[in-house]
């Protein structure tokens, strides 16, 4: 239900053209940039049962917009480090 609500709130997720966000693809973290019209988002997926971190220092002009976790454990950002619980997703949007 959370994912459906997120997709409805951000049409770029369902309509956007995907491209790999190579700089963020590390270990068990998969990252995809979606672009549609003038909108972009980056979707990060932790496909591992363990918690993993992502270095967002090169993405200072992006903000954490939404998170979903299959385990119920939080996804949290502290400064430029994103901590993703097992089997979680995060969506980054450009800062306005």
């Amino acid at each position: 239900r959370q994912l459906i609500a997120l997709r409805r709130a951000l049409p770029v997720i369902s309509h956007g053209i995907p491209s790999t966000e190579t700089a963020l693809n590390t270990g068990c973290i998969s990252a995809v940039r979606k672009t549609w019209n003038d909108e972009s988002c980056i979707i990060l997926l932790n496909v591992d049962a363990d918690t993993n971190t992502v270095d967002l220092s090169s993405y200072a002009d992006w903000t954490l917009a939404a998170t979903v976790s299959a385990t119920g454990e939080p996804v949290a950002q502290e400064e430029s480090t994103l901590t993703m619980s097992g089997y979680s997703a995060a969506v980054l949007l450009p800062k306005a």
Side-chain angles (χ1 to χ4, degrees), residues 46 48-52 68-75 83-89:
N46 180 5
D48 189 14
D50 295 328
T51 298
N52 287 283
V68 177
S69 173
T71 64
E73 294 180 36
V75 174
T83 303
M84 299 185 69
S85 59
Y87 305 119
S88 62

Short mmCIF file of all heavy atoms in Angstrom, two decimals, residues 46 48-52 68-75 83-89:
data_model
loop_
_atom_site.label_atom_id
_atom_site.label_comp_id
_atom_site.label_asym_id
_atom_site.label_seq_id
_atom_site.Cartn_x
_atom_site.Cartn_y
_atom_site.Cartn_z
N ASN A 46 17.68 -1.25 -1.16
CA ASN A 46 18.57 -2.13 -0.43
C ASN A 46 17.99 -3.53 -0.60
O ASN A 46 16.97 -3.86 -0.01
CB ASN A 46 18.66 -1.75 1.05
CG ASN A 46 19.60 -2.66 1.81
OD1 ASN A 46 20.25 -3.52 1.25
ND2 ASN A 46 19.65 -2.46 3.11
N ASP A 48 19.23 -6.33 0.33
CA ASP A 48 19.85 -7.23 1.31
C ASP A 48 19.04 -7.21 2.60
O ASP A 48 18.37 -6.22 2.91
CB ASP A 48 21.28 -6.74 1.57
CG ASP A 48 22.11 -7.70 2.39
OD1 ASP A 48 21.72 -8.86 2.56
OD2 ASP A 48 23.19 -7.27 2.86
N ALA A 49 19.11 -8.28 3.36
CA ALA A 49 18.44 -8.33 4.66
C ALA A 49 19.15 -7.46 5.70
O ALA A 49 18.54 -7.05 6.69
CB ALA A 49 18.36 -9.77 5.15
N ASP A 50 20.42 -7.17 5.48
CA ASP A 50 21.21 -6.37 6.42
C ASP A 50 21.08 -4.89 6.12
O ASP A 50 20.81 -4.47 5.00
CB ASP A 50 22.68 -6.76 6.34
CG ASP A 50 22.93 -8.19 6.78
OD1 ASP A 50 22.20 -8.68 7.67
OD2 ASP A 50 23.85 -8.83 6.23
N THR A 51 21.33 -4.08 7.14
CA THR A 51 21.36 -2.64 6.99
C THR A 51 22.61 -2.24 6.21
O THR A 51 23.68 -2.79 6.43
CB THR A 51 21.36 -1.97 8.38
OG1 THR A 51 20.15 -2.32 9.04
CG2 THR A 51 21.47 -0.46 8.28
N ASN A 52 22.47 -1.29 5.29
CA ASN A 52 23.59 -0.78 4.50
C ASN A 52 23.55 0.73 4.48
O ASN A 52 22.49 1.33 4.68
CB ASN A 52 23.51 -1.31 3.05
CG ASN A 52 23.87 -2.77 2.97
OD1 ASN A 52 25.03 -3.13 3.03
ND2 ASN A 52 22.86 -3.64 2.85
N VAL A 68 10.46 3.54 2.31
CA VAL A 68 9.59 2.39 2.58
C VAL A 68 10.50 1.26 3.05
O VAL A 68 11.58 1.06 2.50
CB VAL A 68 8.83 1.95 1.31
CG1 VAL A 68 7.99 0.72 1.57
CG2 VAL A 68 7.96 3.07 0.78
N SER A 69 10.04 0.54 4.07
CA SER A 69 10.83 -0.57 4.60
C SER A 69 9.95 -1.79 4.76
O SER A 69 8.89 -1.72 5.39
CB SER A 69 11.45 -0.18 5.94
OG SER A 69 12.07 -1.30 6.54
N ALA A 70 10.37 -2.91 4.21
CA ALA A 70 9.61 -4.16 4.33
C ALA A 70 9.64 -4.69 5.75
O ALA A 70 8.74 -5.40 6.18
CB ALA A 70 10.15 -5.20 3.36
N THR A 71 10.68 -4.36 6.49
CA THR A 71 10.84 -4.88 7.85
C THR A 71 10.25 -3.94 8.91
O THR A 71 10.16 -4.32 10.06
CB THR A 71 12.33 -5.10 8.17
OG1 THR A 71 13.00 -3.83 8.14
CG2 THR A 71 12.97 -6.07 7.20
N GLY A 72 9.92 -2.73 8.51
CA GLY A 72 9.42 -1.75 9.47
C GLY A 72 10.51 -0.96 10.15
O GLY A 72 10.24 -0.01 10.87
N GLU A 73 11.76 -1.35 9.93
CA GLU A 73 12.88 -0.61 10.50
C GLU A 73 13.08 0.67 9.70
O GLU A 73 12.86 0.71 8.50
CB GLU A 73 14.14 -1.45 10.49
CG GLU A 73 14.06 -2.67 11.39
CD GLU A 73 15.32 -3.49 11.36
OE1 GLU A 73 16.42 -2.91 11.26
OE2 GLU A 73 15.20 -4.73 11.42
N PRO A 74 13.52 1.74 10.35
CA PRO A 74 13.61 3.03 9.67
C PRO A 74 14.76 3.14 8.67
O PRO A 74 15.77 2.46 8.77
CB PRO A 74 13.83 4.02 10.82
CG PRO A 74 14.49 3.21 11.88
CD PRO A 74 13.92 1.82 11.75
N VAL A 75 14.54 4.01 7.71
CA VAL A 75 15.58 4.49 6.80
C VAL A 75 15.86 5.91 7.27
O VAL A 75 14.93 6.70 7.42
CB VAL A 75 15.10 4.48 5.34
CG1 VAL A 75 16.13 5.12 4.44
CG2 VAL A 75 14.77 3.06 4.90
N THR A 83 21.26 5.66 5.89
CA THR A 83 21.28 4.32 6.45
C THR A 83 19.98 3.64 6.07
O THR A 83 18.90 4.08 6.47
CB THR A 83 21.44 4.36 7.98
OG1 THR A 83 22.65 5.07 8.29
CG2 THR A 83 21.53 2.97 8.56
N MET A 84 20.12 2.55 5.29
CA MET A 84 18.95 1.85 4.78
C MET A 84 18.82 0.49 5.46
O MET A 84 19.73 -0.33 5.42
CB MET A 84 19.06 1.67 3.26
CG MET A 84 19.12 2.99 2.51
SD MET A 84 19.12 2.78 0.72
CE MET A 84 17.43 2.20 0.47
N SER A 85 17.68 0.28 6.10
CA SER A 85 17.42 -1.00 6.73
C SER A 85 17.27 -2.07 5.66
O SER A 85 17.13 -1.76 4.47
CB SER A 85 16.16 -0.92 7.60
OG SER A 85 15.05 -0.54 6.81
N GLY A 86 17.27 -3.32 6.08
CA GLY A 86 17.14 -4.42 5.13
C GLY A 86 15.85 -4.33 4.32
O GLY A 86 14.80 -3.97 4.87
N TYR A 87 15.94 -4.63 3.04
CA TYR A 87 14.79 -4.63 2.14
C TYR A 87 14.00 -3.32 2.22
O TYR A 87 12.81 -3.30 2.45
CB TYR A 87 13.87 -5.82 2.40
CG TYR A 87 14.58 -7.14 2.34
CD1 TYR A 87 14.65 -7.99 3.44
CD2 TYR A 87 15.23 -7.53 1.17
CE1 TYR A 87 15.33 -9.20 3.39
CE2 TYR A 87 15.91 -8.75 1.11
CZ TYR A 87 15.96 -9.57 2.21
OH TYR A 87 16.62 -10.76 2.16
N SER A 88 14.70 -2.24 1.99
CA SER A 88 14.06 -0.93 2.05
C SER A 88 14.29 -0.16 0.75
O SER A 88 15.12 -0.54 -0.07
CB SER A 88 14.59 -0.11 3.23
OG SER A 88 15.97 0.14 3.08
N ALA A 89 13.53 0.91 0.60
CA ALA A 89 13.66 1.78 -0.57
C ALA A 89 13.63 3.23 -0.10
O ALA A 89 13.00 3.56 0.91
CB ALA A 89 12.50 1.53 -1.54
#
